[in-house]
Amino acid sequence: MALRNPLLSIPQRASQITSSRSTYRTVSRLQNIREQSRGEQRRTLATVPPVTQDGTSSKGPTAMVFMNMGGPSTTDEVGGFLSRLFADADLIPLGRLQGYLGPLISRRRTPKIQKQYAAIGGGSPIRKWSEHQAAEMCKILDLTSPETAPHKPYVAFRYANPLTEEMYNRLLEDGFGNGKGGRAVAFTQYPQYSCSTTGSSLNELWKWRTRLEGKEADQAGTIQWSVIDRWPAHPGLVEAFAQNVEATLATYPSEKRDQVVLLFSAHSLPMDVVNRGDTYPAEVAATVYAVMQRLGFKNSYRLCWQSQVGPKAWLGAQTSDTVNNYVAKGQHDLVLIPIAFTSDHIETLYEIDNEVIEEAKEAGSQGVKRVESLNGSKVFIQALADIAKTHLVEGKRCSEQMGLRCQGCTSERCAEQKKFFMGDNAQAVL
């Protein structure tokens, strides 16, 4: 049975593998000292204080902007969330009927989706975790990269509050831009790049940059942007996933542990997007392989794909079908690993927990489990800080991959957005 996507009713939506065993088994000595001194951490982001920005002096302050899809924090926000989601042609291309079909579908879907968010606690926790991760990362950066400090955490969601427009206006209010310059880093929280996720968020950021500050990338006094656009096999990300897998495997009896099958699950893509040349499937596979390499390939594993809907062909095999088929064959010990998500949200808490695992239990299997999401993992947050510091030190506008569009891409907006963020290397956009 196909997995029921809680958001959509129509079709929607490698980097280098690091082979060495990483040093992320424990958080750095510096972070341990800091953790001991500050006690229990708050899980919400404090208000960012205004900054005194002088573009002619030091490299700081630096705005660190976490980009993600987002999710409604309450059931009252579901309607607006779905309306924005179905209006995004990068995610759900509806052609000339986008303006009509998008609002129609979102209105019809809202009551059902509200019930699903109510079932996971009344809203998505993605804002809480994104703000926590961004704030904690910036605290580490203030210690490890003082030359670019202070680092100010911001969150920009594509379809939910705080939206990209809101984030950009906050930047201006806090002293960035408006003739004062300043540096901002757009840090995607999709480890694996896709045009329908990171690409869409960058299109939205570019739109508000041009509306609020103009089209010229290096115009004096404007915010100077750079992008962390993908990081699928970073050692810290790999270690964080691996530790969570090991923790879940430890819940099985020792004599059965090595026979548990690991199922890595990522959001699927329509095959027409894959065939256009989207890099997402290859980068997800890179993450999976790196995690298995870190785990020593002790268990059998497969990569499967969730949330596919509608009549179009989607990248498979489907997560729900995979679990059902293995259970039917007598393989009852399965561990599901959401490999493309950096925190809990409806795809993990509802689709996997309330649908896939509950369906397996109804079929008589009690051995199907899901690993904990990265959420507040200190190893993961340290990894975010290391990725950010490397980016700040290198001074690159974006990765080398940003300029190479999908082989079948015909979007001029995509081309112009990439040229903007690549700056002096805009001629490399193909």
Side-chain angles (χ1 to χ4, degrees), residues 396-416:
K396 293 182 178 180
R397 297 287 293 265
C398 55
S399 77
E400 297 298 328
Q401 301 302 319
M402 266 283 287
L404 192 61
R405 292 193 291 164
C406 297
Q407 297 95 309
C409 180
T410 59
S411 171
E412 288 304 313
R413 179 174 57 171
C414 173
E416 292 304 311

Side-chain angles (χ1 to χ4, degrees), residues 13 62 65 98 121 146 165 184 223 246 268 302 306 311 332-333 404:
R13 28 178 260 260
T62 305
V65 180
Q98 192 96 34
E165 175 186 7
I223 300 171
E246 289 173 330
S268 188
R302 287 293 182 269
Q306 65 182 87
H332 294 281
D333 295 328
L404 192 61

